[in-house]
Amino acid sequence: MKVLHVITGLEAGGAEQQLRLMLRRLPARCEVVTLTGSGPVADGIRADGTPVIHLGMTGNRDLRALPRLTRLIRDGGYDLVHTHLYRACVYGRIAARLAGVRAVVATEHSLGDAVIEGRRLTRGVRTLYRATERLGSATVAVSDTVAARLRRWGVPEPRIHVVPNAIEAHRFRHDPIVRSAVRTRLGIPVDAFVVGGVGRLVPAKRFEVLVRAVTQLSGVHLLLAGEGPEREMLRKTAEQFGSGDRIHLLGAVGRADRARAVAGAPANEPDKVPDIPGLLAAMDVFVSPSQDEAFGLAVLEALAAGLHVLYGSCPAIDELPAEQTPGARRISPVVYELATALRELRRSGPGRLPVPPVVGRYDIARSAESLMSVYEAALAAAPGRRTPRQPAPLVQLPAPEAPAPRAPEAESAPPQVSLPEPSRSPAPSPGGHSLSKR
């Protein structure tokens, strides 16, 4: 089976990292196309041995990308196209249909009640998503919560398949040596109380609440890994409260081999920032303030590292009985409550917890097997590949006038295709729906 994965970008992010992890496990010949940025995750995927093509899309409405993508799919001889993230799902489904590939699977990684991929949902975004969803074979939801949201959008139940995000738990196993080494590299006292967070620095993640809570706790350090438009605001907030030396905004960080945290950064990682496993080893408590998550991958990784976790929303664990996730506590992401919870944990000296049962549920091998089942069903249901239109047979006509050449069908964009730009999201409204079972 030859599969083309189409993703909006390959900068550091949860969906991008999840794709790389899945590619290592899928028993299929895979290639990847990124519409926009070709960042550090693209480098990692190439290093793993999977080809990556950068399509060079210049903007959200760059329709020139559509014929380029169509031509690439048609010429590649792919059995199935798998799209990831909003823009790639819209363009990828159209391009696959034009190229004659009828087995098309899309994964919905980041659909919240009020936002999609950190940006506010608008009527135009929702309408275009639903229209192009009908061109595919199946839509994969990363959690039961996302599946319920898709059903509310009108996606038919038989087209929805739940394949959870997953991790390689052994990568996050706590190591005291790594803990000391990372703190030394970052200039943090070995005996300091360290709070951490991981994610894109966008309004929906509510990291301003975490920063402000830590500024109220004397001597407490915060490790915040991620990039995004709110980074400068968070830096100014920390300085405004006189805590700039305790709030460490680390930028984009990879989920690479834990050995880097001890051995030092290699040539392709020149700064002193360790990877996610190393940062988790250095923390005492992990916080995820977002109230509108599609899965909660960072929370799951923190639990695999034996950390106490405070979170606002995490379908990965909210959908399970509480005994599956000891050490995880749901809170309202307001500064006073978060600061109080952190103060209590600091006073009790939380220590490390055993890895909870929930971690074993989300094993990458299990999710890869489930995804292959979706692929096989899509291929079985798809009609045969469209064959290129054959030219009409030549006939002898007196003095024929040569007709104007007809452009190949796949080379032109369909009319009235426009991709609305999701507007930046404010904090999700408190009246948003919640499907939590806890």
Side-chain angles (χ1 to χ4, degrees), residues 87-112:
R87 194 185 312 184
C89 285
V90 171
Y91 280 89
R93 286 164 172 151
I94 296 172
R97 174 60 64 93
L98 293 175
V101 178
R102 301 300 292 272
V104 182
V105 174
T107 293
E108 187 45 68
H109 293 271
S110 305
L111 176 62

Short mmCIF file of all heavy atoms in Angstrom, two decimals, residues 87-112:
data_model
loop_
_atom_site.label_atom_id
_atom_site.label_comp_id
_atom_site.label_asym_id
_atom_site.label_seq_id
_atom_site.Cartn_x
_atom_site.Cartn_y
_atom_site.Cartn_z
N ARG A 87 -6.39 23.12 6.70
CA ARG A 87 -6.10 23.54 5.33
C ARG A 87 -5.74 22.36 4.44
O ARG A 87 -6.20 22.25 3.29
CB ARG A 87 -4.95 24.56 5.32
CG ARG A 87 -4.80 25.29 4.01
CD ARG A 87 -3.58 26.19 3.99
NE ARG A 87 -3.48 27.03 5.18
CZ ARG A 87 -2.53 27.95 5.33
NH1 ARG A 87 -1.61 28.11 4.40
NH2 ARG A 87 -2.48 28.67 6.42
N ALA A 88 -4.95 21.43 4.97
CA ALA A 88 -4.57 20.26 4.19
C ALA A 88 -5.77 19.36 3.92
O ALA A 88 -5.86 18.73 2.86
CB ALA A 88 -3.48 19.48 4.91
N CYS A 89 -6.71 19.30 4.87
CA CYS A 89 -7.90 18.48 4.64
C CYS A 89 -8.73 19.05 3.50
O CYS A 89 -9.23 18.31 2.64
CB CYS A 89 -8.73 18.40 5.92
SG CYS A 89 -8.03 17.29 7.18
N VAL A 90 -8.89 20.36 3.46
CA VAL A 90 -9.69 20.98 2.40
C VAL A 90 -9.02 20.80 1.04
O VAL A 90 -9.61 20.27 0.10
CB VAL A 90 -9.93 22.46 2.71
CG1 VAL A 90 -10.56 23.18 1.52
CG2 VAL A 90 -10.83 22.61 3.94
N TYR A 91 -7.77 21.24 0.92
CA TYR A 91 -7.08 21.15 -0.36
C TYR A 91 -6.79 19.70 -0.75
O TYR A 91 -6.90 19.33 -1.92
CB TYR A 91 -5.78 21.95 -0.31
CG TYR A 91 -5.96 23.43 -0.50
CD1 TYR A 91 -6.20 24.26 0.59
CD2 TYR A 91 -5.91 24.00 -1.76
CE1 TYR A 91 -6.37 25.62 0.44
CE2 TYR A 91 -6.09 25.37 -1.93
CZ TYR A 91 -6.32 26.17 -0.83
OH TYR A 91 -6.51 27.52 -1.00
N GLY A 92 -6.41 18.89 0.23
CA GLY A 92 -6.03 17.51 -0.07
C GLY A 92 -7.19 16.68 -0.59
O GLY A 92 -7.03 15.87 -1.51
N ARG A 93 -8.39 16.86 -0.02
CA ARG A 93 -9.55 16.09 -0.48
C ARG A 93 -9.92 16.47 -1.91
O ARG A 93 -10.23 15.61 -2.74
CB ARG A 93 -10.74 16.34 0.45
CG ARG A 93 -10.64 15.64 1.80
CD ARG A 93 -11.64 16.25 2.75
NE ARG A 93 -11.74 15.52 4.02
CZ ARG A 93 -12.09 16.10 5.16
NH1 ARG A 93 -12.34 17.39 5.21
NH2 ARG A 93 -12.17 15.40 6.27
N ILE A 94 -9.89 17.78 -2.21
CA ILE A 94 -10.21 18.22 -3.57
C ILE A 94 -9.18 17.68 -4.56
O ILE A 94 -9.52 17.15 -5.62
CB ILE A 94 -10.28 19.75 -3.63
CG1 ILE A 94 -11.43 20.27 -2.75
CG2 ILE A 94 -10.47 20.22 -5.07
CD1 ILE A 94 -11.46 21.78 -2.61
N ALA A 95 -7.89 17.83 -4.21
CA ALA A 95 -6.83 17.39 -5.11
C ALA A 95 -6.88 15.89 -5.35
O ALA A 95 -6.68 15.41 -6.48
CB ALA A 95 -5.47 17.80 -4.55
N ALA A 96 -7.15 15.12 -4.31
CA ALA A 96 -7.22 13.66 -4.47
C ALA A 96 -8.35 13.28 -5.41
O ALA A 96 -8.21 12.40 -6.27
CB ALA A 96 -7.39 12.99 -3.12
N ARG A 97 -9.51 13.95 -5.27
CA ARG A 97 -10.64 13.65 -6.16
C ARG A 97 -10.29 13.99 -7.61
O ARG A 97 -10.57 13.21 -8.53
CB ARG A 97 -11.88 14.44 -5.70
CG ARG A 97 -13.08 14.31 -6.62
CD ARG A 97 -13.55 12.87 -6.75
NE ARG A 97 -14.04 12.34 -5.50
CZ ARG A 97 -15.31 12.35 -5.12
NH1 ARG A 97 -16.23 12.89 -5.90
NH2 ARG A 97 -15.66 11.80 -3.96
N LEU A 98 -9.66 15.15 -7.83
CA LEU A 98 -9.27 15.53 -9.19
C LEU A 98 -8.24 14.58 -9.77
O LEU A 98 -8.21 14.33 -10.98
CB LEU A 98 -8.73 16.96 -9.20
CG LEU A 98 -9.74 18.08 -8.90
CD1 LEU A 98 -9.02 19.42 -8.81
CD2 LEU A 98 -10.83 18.12 -9.95
N ALA A 99 -7.37 14.03 -8.90
CA ALA A 99 -6.32 13.13 -9.36
C ALA A 99 -6.81 11.70 -9.56
O ALA A 99 -6.07 10.85 -10.05
CB ALA A 99 -5.15 13.14 -8.38
N GLY A 100 -8.05 11.42 -9.16
CA GLY A 100 -8.59 10.09 -9.35
C GLY A 100 -8.37 9.12 -8.22
O GLY A 100 -8.64 7.93 -8.35
N VAL A 101 -7.86 9.61 -7.08
CA VAL A 101 -7.69 8.74 -5.91
C VAL A 101 -8.94 8.87 -5.05
O VAL A 101 -9.23 9.94 -4.52
CB VAL A 101 -6.44 9.13 -5.10
CG1 VAL A 101 -6.32 8.26 -3.86
CG2 VAL A 101 -5.19 8.99 -5.95
N ARG A 102 -9.68 7.78 -4.90
CA ARG A 102 -10.96 7.84 -4.21
C ARG A 102 -10.89 7.33 -2.78
O ARG A 102 -11.88 7.40 -2.05
CB ARG A 102 -12.01 7.04 -5.00
CG ARG A 102 -12.20 7.54 -6.43
CD ARG A 102 -12.67 8.98 -6.46
NE ARG A 102 -14.00 9.12 -5.94
CZ ARG A 102 -15.11 8.99 -6.68
NH1 ARG A 102 -15.02 8.71 -7.97
NH2 ARG A 102 -16.29 9.14 -6.15
N ALA A 103 -9.76 6.77 -2.37
CA ALA A 103 -9.57 6.36 -0.98
C ALA A 103 -8.86 7.50 -0.25
O ALA A 103 -7.65 7.69 -0.40
CB ALA A 103 -8.76 5.08 -0.89
N VAL A 104 -9.62 8.29 0.49
CA VAL A 104 -9.09 9.48 1.14
C VAL A 104 -9.52 9.48 2.60
O VAL A 104 -10.71 9.46 2.91
CB VAL A 104 -9.58 10.77 0.45
CG1 VAL A 104 -8.96 12.00 1.12
CG2 VAL A 104 -9.24 10.75 -1.04
N VAL A 105 -8.54 9.52 3.49
CA VAL A 105 -8.78 9.53 4.93
C VAL A 105 -8.27 10.85 5.49
O VAL A 105 -7.22 11.34 5.07
CB VAL A 105 -8.07 8.34 5.62
CG1 VAL A 105 -8.19 8.44 7.14
CG2 VAL A 105 -8.65 7.02 5.12
N ALA A 106 -9.00 11.45 6.40
CA ALA A 106 -8.57 12.69 7.05
C ALA A 106 -8.57 12.48 8.56
O ALA A 106 -9.49 11.87 9.10
CB ALA A 106 -9.50 13.84 6.68
N THR A 107 -7.55 12.99 9.23
CA THR A 107 -7.53 12.96 10.70
C THR A 107 -7.83 14.36 11.22
O THR A 107 -7.18 15.33 10.82
CB THR A 107 -6.18 12.48 11.24
OG1 THR A 107 -6.01 11.10 10.91
CG2 THR A 107 -6.13 12.61 12.75
N GLU A 108 -8.82 14.44 12.11
CA GLU A 108 -9.14 15.70 12.75
C GLU A 108 -8.42 15.74 14.09
O GLU A 108 -8.83 15.12 15.06
CB GLU A 108 -10.66 15.84 12.93
CG GLU A 108 -11.06 17.20 13.44
CD GLU A 108 -10.33 18.31 12.71
OE1 GLU A 108 -10.58 18.50 11.52
OE2 GLU A 108 -9.47 18.97 13.35
N HIS A 109 -7.30 16.48 14.13
CA HIS A 109 -6.42 16.52 15.30
C HIS A 109 -6.86 17.55 16.34
O HIS A 109 -6.67 17.34 17.53
CB HIS A 109 -4.99 16.87 14.87
CG HIS A 109 -4.31 15.84 14.03
ND1 HIS A 109 -3.57 14.82 14.58
CD2 HIS A 109 -4.24 15.69 12.69
CE1 HIS A 109 -3.06 14.07 13.61
NE2 HIS A 109 -3.46 14.57 12.45
N SER A 110 -7.40 18.67 15.90
CA SER A 110 -7.48 19.84 16.80
C SER A 110 -8.82 20.54 16.73
O SER A 110 -8.89 21.76 16.65
CB SER A 110 -6.36 20.83 16.46
OG SER A 110 -5.10 20.20 16.50
N LEU A 111 -9.90 19.81 16.76
CA LEU A 111 -11.23 20.40 16.70
C LEU A 111 -11.80 20.55 18.10
O LEU A 111 -12.06 19.57 18.79
CB LEU A 111 -12.16 19.52 15.85
CG LEU A 111 -13.63 19.96 15.78
CD1 LEU A 111 -13.74 21.34 15.15
CD2 LEU A 111 -14.45 18.95 15.02
N GLY A 112 -11.99 21.80 18.51
CA GLY A 112 -12.61 22.07 19.80
C GLY A 112 -14.05 22.51 19.61
O GLY A 112 -14.57 22.57 18.49
#
